[in-house]
């Protein structure tokens, strides 16, 4: 399952912040320095979706706010949508 995300680093807390241009907007507490925001995003998604972090990987956008992330395993698209709904 591929997720299309808009990520905003440097926020006060990491959370789903609604929608941005049809993408799920994620506010990340980590700054966009030395891959910190990307690492926080993968760690946060792993905790929220209750899947091992190794089952989440970037498809594109590591150096952009617009990211495509793939999640695989026993979680369904419906479960992902329910957990991450803004």
């Amino acid at each position: 399952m591929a997720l299309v995300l808009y990520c905003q680093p440097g926020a006060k807390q990491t959370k789903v912040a609604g929608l941005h241009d049809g993408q799920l907007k994620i506010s990340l507490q980590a700054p966009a320095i030395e891959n910190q925001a990307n690492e926080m995003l993968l760690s946060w998604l792993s905790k929220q979706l209750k899947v091992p972090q190794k089952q989440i990987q970037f498809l594109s956008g590591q150096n952009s706010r617009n990211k495509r992330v793939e999640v695989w395993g026993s979680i369904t698209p419906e479960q992902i949508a329910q957990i991450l709904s803004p």
Side-chain angles (χ1 to χ4, degrees):
M1 162 89 193
L3 301 176
V4 181
L5 306 172
Y6 177 83
C7 297
Q8 180 181 13
K12 288 187 178 180
Q13 71 181 57
T14 299
K15 65 179 182 176
V16 175
L19 295 174
H20 178 83
D21 287 340
Q23 300 171 316
L24 195 60
K25 182 177 179 181
I26 308 287
S27 295
L28 296 168
Q29 199 170 4
I33 300 171
E34 296 177 2
N35 213 28
Q36 291 179 35
N38 285 340
E39 290 172 11
M40 174 168 269
L41 174 63
L42 295 180
S43 173
W44 182 81
L45 283 172
S46 173
K47 288 178 187 152
Q48 297 301 309
L49 302 176
K50 296 179 176 64
V51 298
Q53 192 166 329
K54 64 184 178 186
Q55 290 184 353
I56 304 172
Q57 71 178 19
F58 285 102
L59 295 174
S60 64
Q62 288 94 323
N63 298 321
S64 167
R65 288 183 178 219
N66 297 305
K67 302 182 185 297
R68 287 185 62 231
V69 178
E70 184 176 23
V71 180
W72 65 92
S74 58
I75 192 163
T76 66
E78 293 79 19
Q79 289 171 313
I80 292 173
Q82 182 178 359
I83 292 167
L84 295 181
S85 64

